[in-house]
Amino acid sequence: MTDIRIEREISLPDALRVSRAASAPHLGPRVLFFSGGSALNGISRQLKTYTFNSIHLITPFDSGGSSQILREAFDMPAVGDLRSRLMALADETVLGQPDIYALFSHRLSRNAPQEELRAEVAAMIEGKHPLISAIAKPMRMLIRTLLESFAAEVPRGFDYRNASIGNLILAGGYLSNGRALEPVLFLMSKMVDVRGTVRAVVDETLQLGVELSDGRVIVGQRQISGKESAPIDSPIARLFLSDGTQELAPGDVPLPKRNRKLIAQSDVICYPPGSLYSSVIANLLPAGVGKAIAARHVPKVFLPSLGVDPEALGHGLADQVQALLAPLLADAGRTIPARQLMTHVLCDRSQSDAACAEVTARFGIPCHRLPLRQTDQDKYDTRKVAELLVSLG
């Protein structure tokens, strides 16, 4: 057998491909994202117009907010970003499951007394809460069972303030399925008719850590991102995984076979907007990610964040590319060309010509400046980005 590699020139956006995808999204391209956090949710919602086949490998290493409370209570991976992406990809039309969507998206009060919040969850378990009673019986019984599994193991003193009901349901499913995320993610995807595939990049209870340029080490996603602490004041030199007590070698955390298969089936690979280290690069750390990406001959694009990213302190565009490539080259082999891991950088035209030229000079990766942002905002135009990605597929 002879392998023949074909390259093509395209216009961006490609009107024919966009039109074809919009008319038959169930046949749309498999655009794979390495992402976490909420930065990609708007683009994900727009992408549903063009493809029901996008793939999202999400970091389960969040260490703040509602997810952290669940992590501390049950020693489990973070589920908040997974739930958030499931909701972004859910069928939100009347043909979907709007009652289940409303329940999964509901948050308890941030200020009510704990006793009142516990009573609200208890009413859901008993089927008496209006959000539960609105759901048809077969699904209602299943959701109540998942909440019962959560309630059966919840520790005394659990803080219910601002808790996402979707997160509690995910936790219940995790606990009732042998402490595995995959079964409950699959189940929740079916419940709200998710237009794509959402998986944790690894099903492990781990923490993120960084080594800063000044030699300090920080462990904990929220400490890195600065969302619940002071922003870091020295550039990040390296990201790593930790079990909470020590740094883990990349080989200690392998990419699951099911996720290697998803990479092997992708039509486009995207390193998307989001916190550079804790939302994007975190997903590139497991052993096998770099090899799987290198083996797939499809467009592999970096879409850098707009605005200020506290995690990218001191990083120009080329430095961001270097940070993304570092774990991939360490896994795939440092002698392979950078273009085997990233074929293009696609950025808004507000990025300077000099920054793009530096990327190409350092790595041999073409860098294209395109009109992608919303007018006068540090946000991408979600329709333009979705059409761009569909055009590549």
Side-chain angles (χ1 to χ4, degrees):
M1 179 183 292
T2 301
D3 291 331
I4 300 176
R5 191 172 173 187
I6 299 174
E7 296 185 359
R8 59 185 170 89
E9 291 187 5
I10 62 171
S11 299
L12 294 177
D14 185 317
L16 178 60
R17 285 177 175 269
V18 169
S19 176
R20 186 169 61 195
S23 65
H26 61 289
L27 299 176
R30 296 178 292 261
V31 183
L32 183 143
F33 299 95
F34 291 98
S35 81
S38 59
L40 193 63
N41 284 348
I43 294 170
S44 298
R45 281 194 164 88
Q46 185 66 50
L47 202 58
K48 292 184 294 190
T49 304
Y50 306 102
T51 180
F52 296 164
N53 301 313
S54 62
I55 303 163
H56 304 252
L57 298 182
I58 307 288
T59 169
F61 310 129
D62 194 355
S63 65
S66 177
S67 286
Q68 178 61 12
I69 292 170
L70 287 169
R71 295 193 72 175
E72 292 173 349
F74 301 114
D75 188 27
M76 64 180 289
V79 295
D81 289 340
L82 290 157
R83 188 260 318 154
S84 177
R85 191 62 50 80
L86 286 167
M87 295 301 98
L89 290 168
D91 182 358
E92 298 176 63
T93 71
V94 293
L95 298 177
Q97 298 286 349
D99 296 329
I100 299 177
Y101 180 91
L103 174 68
F104 287 173
S105 301
H106 179 65
R107 281 191 181 272
L108 300 179
S109 169
R110 190 185 296 271
N111 302 312
Q114 292 289 338
E115 183 178 348
E116 181 179 319
L117 300 178
R118 282 194 296 270
E120 183 174 354
V121 174
M124 291 181 179
I125 294 171
E126 295 168 6
K128 298 177 180 178
H129 193 285
L131 285 174
I132 285 283
S133 58
I135 298 170
K137 190 171 183 178
M139 286 293 190
R140 182 169 75 239
M141 296 300 295
L142 178 56
I143 292 168
R144 287 175 60 193
T145 299
L146 295 175
L147 281 172
E148 285 174 355
S149 297
F150 160 79
E153 298 196 38
V154 69
R156 290 177 62 87
F158 182 84
D159 188 354
Y160 284 92
R161 289 174 299 175
N162 201 41
S164 160
I165 296 301
N167 287 1
L168 303 189
I169 292 168
L170 277 170
Y174 173 81
L175 295 167
S176 61
N177 282 281
R179 301 183 69 83
L181 282 175
E182 186 69 12
V184 69
L185 290 173
F186 176 80
L187 180 61
M188 187 176 277
S189 295
K190 295 301 181 185
M191 284 181 175
V192 291
D193 197 9
V194 167
R195 305 304 206 182
T197 299
V198 178
R199 284 181 174 157
V201 67
V202 294
D203 194 347
E204 301 282 351
T205 305
L206 300 172
Q207 299 284 350
L208 290 175
V210 292
E211 181 181 349
L212 303 182
S213 296
D214 62 11
R216 285 179 293 157
V217 172
I218 298 174
V219 176
Q221 179 266 341
R222 286 294 162 131
Q223 285 69 42
I224 296 168
S225 67
K227 292 179 180 178
E228 295 182 4
S229 62
I232 56 175
D233 55 6
S234 178
I236 294 174
R238 185 174 62 91
L239 183 72
F240 60 86
L241 293 173
S242 168
D243 63 5
T245 62
Q246 62 182 353
E247 179 177 343
L248 300 175
D252 294 337
V253 187
L255 182 71
K257 182 178 180 180
R258 60 181 179 271
N259 290 344
R260 294 201 305 271
K261 185 176 180 180
L262 288 175
I263 296 171
Q265 294 172 339
S266 62
D267 297 314
V268 180
I269 293 172
C270 181
Y271 310 105
S275 298
L276 181 64
Y277 285 91
S278 64
S279 289
V280 184
I281 297 176
N283 295 292
L284 310 180
L285 296 179
V289 174
K291 290 184 178 70
I293 293 173
R296 187 64 178 155
H297 298 299
V298 297
K300 305 163 190 177
V301 300
F302 174 37
L303 189 66
S305 294
L306 296 173
V308 177
D309 177 4
E311 294 183 10
L313 176 70
H315 288 43
L317 182 60
D319 299 317
Q320 294 179 51
V321 171
Q322 173 64 46
L324 284 161
L325 291 174
L328 300 177
L329 287 167
D331 184 73
R334 298 190 182 280
T335 60
I336 72 167
R339 285 198 65 180
Q340 205 166 326
L341 298 165
M342 184 186 296
T343 61
H344 299 83
V345 175
L346 304 176
C347 55
D348 183 67
R349 61 186 174 189
S350 58
Q351 188 66 252
S352 70
D353 282 327
C356 270
E358 184 182 1
V359 168
T360 304
R362 284 176 59 178
F363 307 106
I365 298 173
C367 181
H368 304 278
R369 298 168 63 249
L370 304 166
L372 296 176
R373 72 191 297 163
Q374 294 182 32
T375 305
D376 300 325
Q377 292 192 49
D378 285 333
K379 293 182 178 180
Y380 279 110
D381 183 310
T382 59
R383 181 186 59 80
K384 289 181 179 179
V385 171
E387 292 185 356
L388 174 72
L389 294 171
V390 168
S391 299
L392 292 170

